[in-house]
Amino acid sequence: MAAHFGRLRKGATTTAVAAVAVAALSASQAPGVTTDDLGRQSAGAAQPSGDAKTGGAGGGATGDSPYYTDLPPLKSPNPSPSASPTTGTTVSVGEAEAGIPATVLDAYKKAEAELRASKPGCNLPWQLLAAIGKVESGQARGGRVDASGTTYSPILGPKLDGNGFALIADTDNGAYDGDPAYDRAVGPMQFIPSTWEWAGRDGNGDGKKDPNNVYDAALAAGHYLCRFDRDLSVQSQMNAAILNYNNSTEYLNTVLSWLEYYRKGTHEVPDGTGTLPSHSSNSDPGASPSPSTPATPSTPSTPSTPSAPSTPSTPKPGSGGSTSPTPKPPAPSSPTPSPTPPTPTQTVDHLEDAHTGKLTATAGSAFGAKVAVRAESKASKGVAKVRVRFTIIGDTDATFTGGESVATVVTGSAGTATAPALVAGEKTGDFTVRATVVGRVLGGLDYTATVTPRQADTLTRTGDTALTCVPGGEFTDQVELKATYKGAVAGKVAATATLIKSADDPTENDKGPYFKDADGKTIRTLTDLTTDADGVLKLPKLYADDATGTFLLRVNTTGGAVLTVELKVAAAAS
């Protein structure tokens, strides 16, 4: 491997100054890395990088292919908010190196979320995936990916033919890397084909496991790092995971430096605008992290003996005594490179509503309408293959189908993206659904959604036994009711129960039957009642004072259901 540090930083005018800066960076940004008496760096205990499944010499996800050695700036990113001069939208601005292309960043965070659910003990931080993605491919070449997260062109490492790299003969018949003779690392996270064959994942739900797709590759990298029941919150185990990915102490130090940098703050930048690294571990400045093996320079030929200058010809009469030089044809100009065509995302000018209906639902039920938007160009034409992110904002427990609060949808041929169905939780009130274009700093669209309380329109008693009691006694039977709404069971509906003075006077009675609170005190109004999942509401036991006669109990529910129940208190028959 070449030297870990490939360039001088701004302000380091001498090699000595640069060395001091690099040493400081390694000390502050590479936790778990130590230095021995000779100044060599070593890492925490690592598990053997070889794996029976990898099939690669030396093991590792990448076959120990070359990688970028650029280090993060010494200055902490800590992005600060500012307003976009074109849209007025608040964006994060900070060190250029701290900017991660939107789709790539989304892939890292989704991979972290999936691992948090499937392997919670691993404690995988998305910043570790970002650090590896930076070192392996410069964040998919600065975010040159399409709407589904697939790179516009494959990212391939050098032939692993043993010429300066590991020797790994072809294992996939060129299916992933296009090389039928030797394996090559593939994609944003640089998996060799033999490793991808078993480690590959479908991270974007399209039914394929594509190493050139950043969602698939990031999820695969997360699972690869979390093998062996590792807990990445333990530094020695994180070091082992990174070394297992690429067995090089210099690689470990570089990844840990970027991890620490990203943990201090990052911000989203449009796809295709990420900062590209320029130094590779194969000592080829400006090359890709896994360049092809350079050709062996040919031996220079012996220069021929220059011929003697020719005698100038005699000038022709009328030439003024001088020989006119033969005009030379103009040198051909270099062809002007054709500009890279804009991606669909870059052509989007704004979002328009696409006939979204009224967003209202009862607590616990699905919304009848879905949020739909259309990505349009300046000419108001729909733009296909654009990622639109829908985000639920506010104090609510509503989610999209599947339980997520964020959903990303790719626009269709007409430029329209429809969010998954919204499902209301138990919290009532308003919240916001925001639609934005992934990879662009554009004004989004906000939609107000409303969750209304569960309702009942009918209340009935579950029994018909007369409710009677003697003065000073207690009612034998408890009042039990059932609530329905439009004929269906009305579960979890709020209700109140009050012992009223009369049918025409619904104020609380001051005599007659009563309930008891937790302290045994008399109360005649019950609040915060709720029907169960079957719509049934069973009231506490009722007691009677010394007053006799017919008394009324009135129960009301959200939605307007009302039922009045008669209670009779009479002396026992002699």
Side-chain angles (χ1 to χ4, degrees):
M1 283 294 172
H4 178 47
F5 308 112
R7 60 185 170 92
L8 292 177
R9 303 194 173 279
K10 292 181 179 179
T13 56
T14 69
T15 303
V17 173
V20 171
V22 167
L25 179 64
S26 297
S28 64
Q29 296 188 330
V33 178
T34 59
T35 304
D36 64 17
D37 293 338
L38 299 177
R40 295 180 300 229
Q41 291 175 318
S42 59
Q47 291 171 263
S49 63
D51 189 294
K53 293 182 178 179
T54 64
T62 71
D64 298 339
S65 293
Y67 55 90
Y68 284 123
T69 58
D70 297 55
L71 289 169
L74 293 172
K75 182 180 178 182
S76 175
N78 293 328
S80 57
S82 69
S84 166
T86 56
T87 65
T89 305
T90 299
V91 297
S92 293
V93 178
E95 288 284 342
E97 289 288 1
I100 300 178
T103 299
V104 179
L105 180 60
D106 187 51
Y108 296 149
K109 291 185 175 181
K110 283 194 171 181
E112 180 199 56
E114 196 277 343
L115 267 299
R116 191 186 307 124
S118 63
K119 297 182 179 179
C122 179
N123 295 305
L124 171 76
W126 66 260
Q127 292 92 341
L128 176 57
L129 296 176
I132 292 176
K134 179 71 173 182
V135 170
E136 293 293 350
S137 68
Q139 311 297 18
R141 291 177 178 156
R144 292 292 298 165
V145 296
D146 63 18
S148 66
T150 302
T151 57
Y152 286 118
S153 59
I155 300 176
L156 298 175
K159 294 182 179 182
L160 298 176
D161 56 5
N163 186 11
F165 309 110
L167 174 58
I168 305 179
D170 176 67
T171 61
D172 66 331
N173 294 320
Y176 294 119
D177 56 14
D179 191 329
Y182 299 97
D183 272 353
R184 307 173 74 167
V186 182
M189 305 303 276
Q190 289 288 278
F191 279 94
I192 55 174
S194 56
T195 302
W196 182 261
E197 189 62 33
W198 62 267
R201 295 291 192 279
D202 177 15
N204 62 351
D206 63 357
K208 298 183 294 184
K209 299 176 182 178
D210 182 0
N212 290 299
N213 182 278
V214 69
Y215 286 94
D216 296 358
L219 184 57
H223 279 280
Y224 188 93
L225 293 165
C226 287
R227 293 183 306 156
F228 310 123
D229 295 324
R230 290 190 181 106
D231 180 357
L232 300 185
S233 65
V234 178
Q235 189 63 51
S236 61
Q237 295 190 37
M238 177 182 284
N239 291 353
I242 297 170
L243 286 169
N244 203 196
Y245 204 92
N246 190 317
N247 191 20
S248 161
T249 301
E250 290 84 357
Y251 180 87
L252 170 68
N253 294 343
T254 307
V255 169
L256 290 177
S257 294
W258 281 106
L259 168 63
E260 194 68 15
Y261 182 74
Y262 286 141
R263 276 176 164 166
K264 292 178 180 178
T266 60
H267 57 277
E268 182 180 288
V269 299
D271 289 343
T273 65
T275 303
L276 292 175
S278 57
H279 293 78
S280 173
S281 63
N282 69 340
S283 301
D284 185 8
S288 63
S290 302
S292 300
T293 305
T296 303
S298 59
T299 303
S301 59
T302 303
S304 58
T305 304
S307 58
S310 58
T311 304
S313 59
T314 304
K316 294 182 180 180
S319 63
S322 64
T323 303
S324 300
T326 303
K328 294 182 179 180
S333 58
S334 301
T336 303
S338 57
T340 303
T343 65
T345 300
Q346 291 170 333
T347 66
V348 177
D349 179 71
H350 59 276
L351 289 176
E352 285 288 338
D353 176 57
H355 308 294
T356 300
K358 187 176 181 181
L359 299 173
T360 303
T362 302
S365 64
F367 284 71
K370 296 180 180 180
V371 178
V373 299
R374 175 178 153 97
E376 295 186 352
S377 64
K378 284 186 178 180
S380 296
K381 291 184 178 181
V383 183
K385 298 182 179 180
V386 172
R387 296 178 68 82
V388 177
R389 181 181 296 146
F390 298 94
T391 306
I392 295 174
I393 300 170
D395 183 17
T396 181
D397 54 357
T399 65
F400 292 112
T401 302
E404 298 292 333
S405 60
V406 178
T408 304
V409 180
V410 179
T411 58
S413 58
T416 301
T418 302
L422 285 164
V423 179
E426 295 303 320
K427 289 185 178 180
T428 60
D430 294 342
F431 64 92
T432 299
V433 179
R434 177 167 298 163
T436 56
V437 177
V438 177
R440 290 294 305 277
V441 182
L442 296 173
L445 292 181
D446 284 352
Y447 295 85
T448 299
T450 303
V451 179
T452 59
R454 298 171 186 263
Q455 303 178 48
D457 55 17
T458 305
L459 275 174
T460 56
R461 278 192 65 197
T462 58
D464 55 6
T465 304
L467 300 170
T468 61
C469 182
V470 296
E474 61 182 51
F475 287 82
T476 305
D477 297 313
Q478 291 178 244
V479 179
E480 186 176 276
L481 312 172
K482 186 165 186 176
T484 58
Y485 182 70
K486 295 182 179 180
V489 168
K492 299 182 180 180
V493 176
T496 60
T498 305
L499 291 151
I500 61 176
K501 290 183 176 179
S502 68
D504 299 326
D505 185 358
T507 57
E508 182 181 285
N509 208 340
D510 55 2
K511 61 181 179 179
Y514 60 90
F515 300 104
K516 290 182 180 180
D517 64 13
D519 297 325
K521 295 180 180 179
T522 297
I523 55 172
R524 289 189 169 89
T525 298
L526 297 176
T527 58
D528 299 327
L529 300 172
T530 306
T531 63
D532 64 16
D534 297 321
V536 175
L537 175 63
K538 190 171 185 177
L539 300 181
K541 184 174 287 189
L542 279 161
Y543 302 86
D545 59 13
D546 294 335
T548 59
T550 300
F551 301 90
L552 300 179
L553 169 67
R554 179 162 292 173
V555 181
N556 300 270
T557 69
T558 303
V562 180
L563 179 66
T564 302
V565 180
E566 285 190 351
L567 305 171
K568 292 184 178 181
V569 180
S574 58

